[in-house]
Amino acid sequence: MQGKAFETLPNIYLVGPMGAGKTTVGRHLAELLGREFIDSDHEIERKTGATIPWIFEKEGESGFRARETNVLNDLTARSALVLATGGGAVTQSENRKFLKQRGIVVYLYTPVELQLQRTHRDKNRPLLQVENPEKKLRDLLTVRDPLYREVAHFIVETNQGAARDLAQKILQLILSKQI
């Protein structure tokens, strides 16, 4: 099912909150398509030689967002890839424009309870290093959910099924609309 059959598909971009499974699902989706997978947060770290928490500490969120926009502009100009974006990428209108116009955007909707389960031990998430991470996740979702929905071509709930099954479901959704 790989190869030539998928050559005409545009890039696929995964958006959603932290803990949605964008990286895990994205890797499976790229494998199904025979495409390169890139996680924009990992690409930012690779290009800067610094961790995201360090960038947040030294440059603040605005400094990180500027770096993120540059990386997303570069990555969305490429072809034949599956890209997992950072949870806050959609907060910048320029990023939403890049994503929406340059590929197929899939919003991995994830309830806050599941986000909390998946992120509670992760110290590499600067926005969750607060006294009440659950409140922070709820506040972020309140602001970002409309932005995820605005940019998305498809919305897939991540609270049912393994990552590999979700990747298969996403591929089927996309192919059904491409006919």
Side-chain angles (χ1 to χ4, degrees):
M1 208 160 117
Q2 291 179 352
K4 292 193 187 283
F6 302 133
E7 284 178 5
T8 59
L9 282 180
N11 289 340
I12 299 172
Y13 308 129
L14 302 177
V15 300
M18 55 185 110
K22 297 179 298 286
T23 300
T24 307
V25 171
R27 281 196 177 107
H28 290 298
L29 190 55
E31 184 182 316
L32 287 170
L33 292 165
R35 290 189 172 185
E36 180 180 11
F37 169 75
I38 299 176
D39 178 301
S40 65
D41 284 348
H42 295 162
E43 187 69 5
I44 292 165
E45 289 182 336
R46 186 188 71 73
K47 281 189 168 200
T48 62
T51 66
I52 289 171
W54 187 89
I55 296 168
F56 264 77
E57 181 184 324
K58 299 298 180 197
E59 300 177 5
E61 186 171 357
S62 62
F64 173 77
R65 296 292 170 214
R67 289 178 181 274
E68 182 177 56
T69 296
N70 289 334
V71 165
L72 286 175
N73 185 33
D74 291 346
L75 292 174
T76 58
R78 294 172 52 182
S79 60
L81 64 89
V82 174
L83 174 67
T85 64
V90 297
T91 62
Q92 308 304 301
S93 62
E94 198 171 4
N95 296 347
R96 292 194 305 278
K97 185 179 87 175
F98 296 151
L99 295 168
K100 185 85 170 181
Q101 294 177 356
R102 297 178 181 173
I104 297 170
V105 182
V106 180
Y107 171 20
L108 298 183
Y109 173 78
T110 308
V112 169
E113 297 74 22
L114 190 53
Q115 290 176 54
L116 201 54
Q117 274 178 16
R118 292 176 178 172
T119 61
H120 78 279
R121 287 193 195 103
D122 192 341
K123 300 297 180 210
N124 208 32
R125 300 184 187 270
L127 295 178
L128 290 186
Q129 305 313 305
V130 294
E131 190 175 316
N132 188 343
E134 181 178 358
K135 181 183 182 324
K136 183 65 173 182
L137 287 171
R138 288 190 190 288
D139 292 348
L140 288 171
L141 194 60
T142 298
V143 170
R144 295 175 179 178
D145 181 70
L147 301 174
Y148 295 136
R149 291 176 187 278
E150 171 191 321
V151 77
H153 296 99
F154 300 96
I155 299 171
V156 175
E157 293 193 20
T158 66
N159 55 347
Q160 297 175 346
R164 186 174 301 279
D165 297 333
L166 288 170
Q168 191 72 47
K169 179 179 180 177
I170 290 166
L171 183 55
Q172 288 170 353
L173 272 172
I174 292 170
L175 291 176
S176 73
K177 301 293 186 206
Q178 295 293 307
I179 298 172

